[in-house]
mmCIF file of all heavy atoms in Angstrom:
data_model
loop_
_atom_site.group_PDB
_atom_site.id
_atom_site.type_symbol
_atom_site.label_atom_id
_atom_site.label_comp_id
_atom_site.label_asym_id
_atom_site.label_seq_id
_atom_site.Cartn_x
_atom_site.Cartn_y
_atom_site.Cartn_z
ATOM 1 N N PRO A 1 0.749 -1.218 -0.004
ATOM 2 C CA PRO A 1 -0.016 0.056 -0.014
ATOM 3 C C PRO A 1 0.891 1.223 -0.039
ATOM 4 O O PRO A 1 1.959 1.277 0.563
ATOM 5 C CB PRO A 1 -0.811 -0.170 1.297
ATOM 6 C CG PRO A 1 -0.063 -0.957 2.168
ATOM 7 C CD PRO A 1 0.752 -1.965 1.296
ATOM 8 N N LEU A 2 0.274 2.289 -0.561
ATOM 9 C CA LEU A 2 0.849 3.642 -0.672
ATOM 10 C C LEU A 2 0.176 4.539 0.385
ATOM 11 O O LEU A 2 -0.985 4.688 0.338
ATOM 12 C CB LEU A 2 0.797 4.169 -1.999
ATOM 13 C CG LEU A 2 1.207 5.678 -2.250
ATOM 14 C CD1 LEU A 2 2.825 5.801 -2.036
ATOM 15 C CD2 LEU A 2 0.809 6.190 -3.653
ATOM 16 N N LEU A 3 0.976 5.025 1.331
ATOM 17 C CA LEU A 3 0.433 6.001 2.357
ATOM 18 C C LEU A 3 0.424 7.357 1.658
ATOM 19 O O LEU A 3 1.273 8.226 1.859
ATOM 20 C CB LEU A 3 1.377 5.955 3.494
ATOM 21 C CG LEU A 3 0.884 6.791 4.727
ATOM 22 C CD1 LEU A 3 -0.447 6.355 5.188
ATOM 23 C CD2 LEU A 3 1.805 6.709 5.919
ATOM 24 N N ALA A 4 -0.494 7.510 0.833
ATOM 25 C CA ALA A 4 -0.832 8.865 0.138
ATOM 26 C C ALA A 4 -2.195 8.806 -0.400
ATOM 27 O O ALA A 4 -2.902 7.839 -0.503
ATOM 28 C CB ALA A 4 0.237 9.090 -0.948
ATOM 29 N N LEU A 5 -2.644 9.910 -0.959
ATOM 30 C CA LEU A 5 -3.978 9.954 -1.521
ATOM 31 C C LEU A 5 -4.035 9.328 -2.919
ATOM 32 O O LEU A 5 -3.062 9.091 -3.497
ATOM 33 C CB LEU A 5 -4.416 11.423 -1.681
ATOM 34 C CG LEU A 5 -4.181 12.130 -2.970
ATOM 35 C CD1 LEU A 5 -4.938 13.475 -3.002
ATOM 36 C CD2 LEU A 5 -2.617 12.617 -3.043
ATOM 37 N N ASP A 6 -5.255 8.985 -3.236
ATOM 38 C CA ASP A 6 -5.491 8.411 -4.591
ATOM 39 C C ASP A 6 -5.271 9.476 -5.592
ATOM 40 O O ASP A 6 -5.800 10.561 -5.434
ATOM 41 C CB ASP A 6 -6.979 7.907 -4.649
ATOM 42 C CG ASP A 6 -7.141 7.115 -5.943
ATOM 43 O OD1 ASP A 6 -6.676 7.538 -6.976
ATOM 44 O OD2 ASP A 6 -8.027 6.184 -5.791
ATOM 45 N N PRO A 7 -4.395 9.259 -6.642
ATOM 46 C CA PRO A 7 -4.186 10.321 -7.669
ATOM 47 C C PRO A 7 -5.326 10.883 -8.263
ATOM 48 O O PRO A 7 -5.389 11.986 -8.934
ATOM 49 C CB PRO A 7 -3.199 9.620 -8.596
ATOM 50 C CG PRO A 7 -2.533 8.500 -7.840
ATOM 51 C CD PRO A 7 -3.594 8.041 -6.851
ATOM 52 N N ASP A 8 -6.443 10.094 -8.327
ATOM 53 C CA ASP A 8 -7.727 10.583 -8.948
ATOM 54 C C ASP A 8 -8.171 11.833 -8.214
ATOM 55 O O ASP A 8 -9.080 12.515 -8.751
ATOM 56 C CB ASP A 8 -8.762 9.508 -8.958
ATOM 57 C CG ASP A 8 -8.472 8.486 -9.954
ATOM 58 O OD1 ASP A 8 -7.613 8.591 -10.753
ATOM 59 O OD2 ASP A 8 -9.101 7.362 -9.817
ATOM 60 N N LEU A 9 -7.726 12.177 -6.941
ATOM 61 C CA LEU A 9 -8.250 13.269 -6.218
ATOM 62 C C LEU A 9 -7.213 14.463 -6.310
ATOM 63 O O LEU A 9 -7.415 15.464 -5.528
ATOM 64 C CB LEU A 9 -8.356 12.900 -4.678
ATOM 65 C CG LEU A 9 -9.366 11.686 -4.506
ATOM 66 C CD1 LEU A 9 -9.208 11.251 -3.041
ATOM 67 C CD2 LEU A 9 -10.811 12.139 -4.916
ATOM 68 N N LEU A 10 -6.280 14.484 -7.215
ATOM 69 C CA LEU A 10 -5.290 15.495 -7.172
ATOM 70 C C LEU A 10 -5.875 16.854 -7.530
ATOM 71 O O LEU A 10 -5.174 17.935 -7.235
ATOM 72 C CB LEU A 10 -4.142 15.133 -8.230
ATOM 73 C CG LEU A 10 -3.157 14.074 -7.777
ATOM 74 C CD1 LEU A 10 -2.211 13.694 -8.949
ATOM 75 C CD2 LEU A 10 -2.337 14.578 -6.596
ATOM 76 N N TYR A 11 -7.000 16.831 -8.180
ATOM 77 C CA TYR A 11 -7.544 18.193 -8.602
ATOM 78 C C TYR A 11 -7.648 19.112 -7.343
ATOM 79 O O TYR A 11 -7.547 20.325 -7.456
ATOM 80 C CB TYR A 11 -8.885 18.015 -9.283
ATOM 81 C CG TYR A 11 -9.633 19.364 -9.537
ATOM 82 C CD1 TYR A 11 -9.308 20.189 -10.545
ATOM 83 C CD2 TYR A 11 -10.642 19.656 -8.704
ATOM 84 C CE1 TYR A 11 -9.990 21.446 -10.761
ATOM 85 C CE2 TYR A 11 -11.341 20.892 -8.964
ATOM 86 C CZ TYR A 11 -11.009 21.823 -9.916
ATOM 87 O OH TYR A 11 -11.650 22.910 -10.094
ATOM 88 N N TRP A 12 -7.990 18.517 -6.174
ATOM 89 C CA TRP A 12 -8.308 19.416 -5.098
ATOM 90 C C TRP A 12 -7.016 20.035 -4.470
ATOM 91 O O TRP A 12 -7.072 20.800 -3.563
ATOM 92 C CB TRP A 12 -8.896 18.487 -3.941
ATOM 93 C CG TRP A 12 -10.183 17.888 -4.493
ATOM 94 C CD1 TRP A 12 -10.512 16.630 -4.802
ATOM 95 C CD2 TRP A 12 -11.359 18.577 -4.932
ATOM 96 N NE1 TRP A 12 -11.714 16.514 -5.284
ATOM 97 C CE2 TRP A 12 -12.282 17.678 -5.410
ATOM 98 C CE3 TRP A 12 -11.728 19.999 -4.954
ATOM 99 C CZ2 TRP A 12 -13.504 18.006 -5.843
ATOM 100 C CZ3 TRP A 12 -12.965 20.326 -5.448
ATOM 101 C CH2 TRP A 12 -13.856 19.395 -5.878
ATOM 102 N N GLY A 13 -5.842 19.690 -5.061
ATOM 103 C CA GLY A 13 -4.631 20.331 -4.656
ATOM 104 C C GLY A 13 -4.108 21.322 -5.722
ATOM 105 O O GLY A 13 -2.985 21.823 -5.513
ATOM 106 N N THR A 14 -4.825 21.582 -6.746
ATOM 107 C CA THR A 14 -4.442 22.549 -7.772
ATOM 108 C C THR A 14 -5.039 23.944 -7.313
ATOM 109 O O THR A 14 -5.785 23.997 -6.322
ATOM 110 C CB THR A 14 -5.104 22.252 -9.122
ATOM 111 O OG1 THR A 14 -6.511 22.267 -9.052
ATOM 112 C CG2 THR A 14 -4.618 20.808 -9.546
ATOM 113 N N LYS A 15 -4.705 24.954 -8.030
ATOM 114 C CA LYS A 15 -5.155 26.309 -7.696
ATOM 115 C C LYS A 15 -6.652 26.485 -7.727
ATOM 116 O O LYS A 15 -7.255 27.034 -6.883
ATOM 117 C CB LYS A 15 -4.495 27.331 -8.594
ATOM 118 C CG LYS A 15 -2.921 27.300 -8.657
ATOM 119 C CD LYS A 15 -2.241 27.573 -7.266
ATOM 120 C CE LYS A 15 -0.787 27.630 -7.414
ATOM 121 N NZ LYS A 15 -0.113 26.399 -7.764
ATOM 122 N N ALA A 16 -7.139 25.900 -8.865
ATOM 123 C CA ALA A 16 -8.673 25.989 -9.065
ATOM 124 C C ALA A 16 -9.419 25.134 -8.012
ATOM 125 O O ALA A 16 -10.461 25.540 -7.500
ATOM 126 C CB ALA A 16 -8.975 25.636 -10.453
ATOM 127 N N GLY A 17 -8.894 23.855 -7.814
ATOM 128 C CA GLY A 17 -9.462 22.941 -6.807
ATOM 129 C C GLY A 17 -9.502 23.554 -5.435
ATOM 130 O O GLY A 17 -10.391 23.471 -4.621
ATOM 131 N N SER A 18 -8.392 24.239 -5.077
ATOM 132 C CA SER A 18 -8.209 24.873 -3.729
ATOM 133 C C SER A 18 -9.301 25.942 -3.527
ATOM 134 O O SER A 18 -9.897 26.069 -2.522
ATOM 135 C CB SER A 18 -6.793 25.512 -3.636
ATOM 136 O OG SER A 18 -5.733 24.499 -3.672
ATOM 137 N N ARG A 19 -9.466 26.820 -4.573
ATOM 138 C CA ARG A 19 -10.478 27.959 -4.510
ATOM 139 C C ARG A 19 -11.870 27.257 -4.301
ATOM 140 O O ARG A 19 -12.656 27.795 -3.523
ATOM 141 C CB ARG A 19 -10.398 28.690 -5.773
ATOM 142 C CG ARG A 19 -9.148 29.543 -5.959
ATOM 143 C CD ARG A 19 -9.200 30.409 -7.211
ATOM 144 N NE ARG A 19 -10.303 31.242 -7.230
ATOM 145 C CZ ARG A 19 -10.344 32.466 -6.538
ATOM 146 N NH1 ARG A 19 -9.393 32.831 -5.755
ATOM 147 N NH2 ARG A 19 -11.445 33.181 -6.520
ATOM 148 N N GLN A 20 -12.197 26.149 -4.883
ATOM 149 C CA GLN A 20 -13.412 25.552 -4.735
ATOM 150 C C GLN A 20 -13.579 25.070 -3.240
ATOM 151 O O GLN A 20 -14.697 25.274 -2.699
ATOM 152 C CB GLN A 20 -13.569 24.422 -5.794
ATOM 153 C CG GLN A 20 -15.001 23.770 -5.697
ATOM 154 C CD GLN A 20 -15.273 22.833 -6.878
ATOM 155 O OE1 GLN A 20 -14.674 22.875 -7.878
ATOM 156 N NE2 GLN A 20 -16.192 21.953 -6.478
ATOM 157 N N ILE A 21 -12.554 24.378 -2.777
ATOM 158 C CA ILE A 21 -12.685 23.928 -1.365
ATOM 159 C C ILE A 21 -12.819 25.050 -0.463
ATOM 160 O O ILE A 21 -13.709 25.051 0.526
ATOM 161 C CB ILE A 21 -11.473 23.180 -0.897
ATOM 162 C CG1 ILE A 21 -11.323 21.833 -1.717
ATOM 163 C CG2 ILE A 21 -11.357 22.879 0.536
ATOM 164 C CD1 ILE A 21 -12.233 20.809 -1.289
ATOM 165 N N PHE A 22 -12.072 26.192 -0.700
ATOM 166 C CA PHE A 22 -12.275 27.379 0.266
ATOM 167 C C PHE A 22 -13.619 27.922 0.179
ATOM 168 O O PHE A 22 -14.237 28.371 1.137
ATOM 169 C CB PHE A 22 -11.215 28.420 -0.145
ATOM 170 C CG PHE A 22 -9.782 28.000 -0.014
ATOM 171 C CD1 PHE A 22 -8.871 28.503 -0.924
ATOM 172 C CD2 PHE A 22 -9.310 27.127 0.974
ATOM 173 C CE1 PHE A 22 -7.463 28.146 -0.805
ATOM 174 C CE2 PHE A 22 -8.066 26.784 0.985
ATOM 175 C CZ PHE A 22 -7.042 27.263 0.101
ATOM 176 N N SER A 23 -14.196 27.977 -1.009
ATOM 177 C CA SER A 23 -15.553 28.517 -1.081
ATOM 178 C C SER A 23 -16.558 27.664 -0.393
ATOM 179 O O SER A 23 -17.466 28.124 0.294
ATOM 180 C CB SER A 23 -15.923 28.619 -2.718
ATOM 181 O OG SER A 23 -17.209 29.042 -2.838
ATOM 182 N N ASP A 24 -16.401 26.225 -0.694
ATOM 183 C CA ASP A 24 -17.259 25.343 0.081
ATOM 184 C C ASP A 24 -17.265 25.430 1.584
ATOM 185 O O ASP A 24 -18.240 25.162 2.199
ATOM 186 C CB ASP A 24 -16.953 23.925 -0.369
ATOM 187 C CG ASP A 24 -17.316 23.684 -1.876
ATOM 188 O OD1 ASP A 24 -17.968 24.483 -2.419
ATOM 189 O OD2 ASP A 24 -16.798 22.645 -2.393
ATOM 190 N N CYS A 25 -16.056 25.649 2.052
ATOM 191 C CA CYS A 25 -15.797 25.700 3.534
ATOM 192 C C CYS A 25 -16.009 27.184 4.139
ATOM 193 O O CYS A 25 -15.986 27.333 5.382
ATOM 194 C CB CYS A 25 -14.378 25.236 3.819
ATOM 195 S SG CYS A 25 -14.035 23.620 3.550
ATOM 196 N N GLY A 26 -16.278 28.200 3.297
ATOM 197 C CA GLY A 26 -16.529 29.451 3.830
ATOM 198 C C GLY A 26 -15.308 30.215 4.315
ATOM 199 O O GLY A 26 -15.347 30.934 5.267
ATOM 200 N N ILE A 27 -14.138 29.737 3.672
ATOM 201 C CA ILE A 27 -12.900 30.296 4.279
ATOM 202 C C ILE A 27 -12.499 31.487 3.299
ATOM 203 O O ILE A 27 -12.554 31.427 2.080
ATOM 204 C CB ILE A 27 -11.849 29.290 4.171
ATOM 205 C CG1 ILE A 27 -12.077 28.135 5.121
ATOM 206 C CG2 ILE A 27 -10.404 29.839 4.423
ATOM 207 C CD1 ILE A 27 -11.143 26.982 5.033
ATOM 208 N N PRO A 28 -12.174 32.731 3.937
ATOM 209 C CA PRO A 28 -11.806 33.841 3.038
ATOM 210 C C PRO A 28 -10.716 33.537 2.187
ATOM 211 O O PRO A 28 -9.540 33.018 2.652
ATOM 212 C CB PRO A 28 -11.340 34.886 4.170
ATOM 213 C CG PRO A 28 -12.123 34.462 5.446
ATOM 214 C CD PRO A 28 -12.071 32.891 5.402
ATOM 215 N N HIS A 29 -10.767 33.947 0.842
ATOM 216 C CA HIS A 29 -9.736 33.822 -0.082
ATOM 217 C C HIS A 29 -9.998 34.922 -1.063
ATOM 218 O O HIS A 29 -11.056 35.505 -1.260
ATOM 219 C CB HIS A 29 -9.860 32.376 -0.740
ATOM 220 C CG HIS A 29 -11.178 32.065 -1.376
ATOM 221 N ND1 HIS A 29 -12.296 31.790 -0.707
ATOM 222 C CD2 HIS A 29 -11.397 32.084 -2.737
ATOM 223 C CE1 HIS A 29 -13.297 31.660 -1.537
ATOM 224 N NE2 HIS A 29 -12.771 31.676 -2.758
ATOM 225 N N PRO A 30 -8.849 35.196 -1.832
ATOM 226 C CA PRO A 30 -8.969 36.320 -2.785
ATOM 227 C C PRO A 30 -9.946 36.120 -3.863
ATOM 228 O O PRO A 30 -10.138 35.042 -4.388
ATOM 229 C CB PRO A 30 -7.572 36.455 -3.372
ATOM 230 C CG PRO A 30 -6.651 35.646 -2.436
ATOM 231 C CD PRO A 30 -7.551 34.567 -1.787
#
């Protein structure tokens, strides 16, 4: 086993994916 995330989820670590997470969580972002 690999102690890391499934690569299919990498989008959430991109700039656009990050902004979506911040928006969903109500976290202030530019």
Side-chain angles (χ1 to χ4, degrees):
L2 172 64
L3 183 57
L5 88 164
D6 189 322
D8 288 345
L9 301 171
L10 284 173
Y11 171 76
W12 303 112
T14 64
K15 305 298 186 293
S18 298
R19 292 182 56 82
Q20 186 172 335
I21 292 286
F22 299 149
S23 179
D24 293 344
C25 294
I27 294 176
H29 58 287

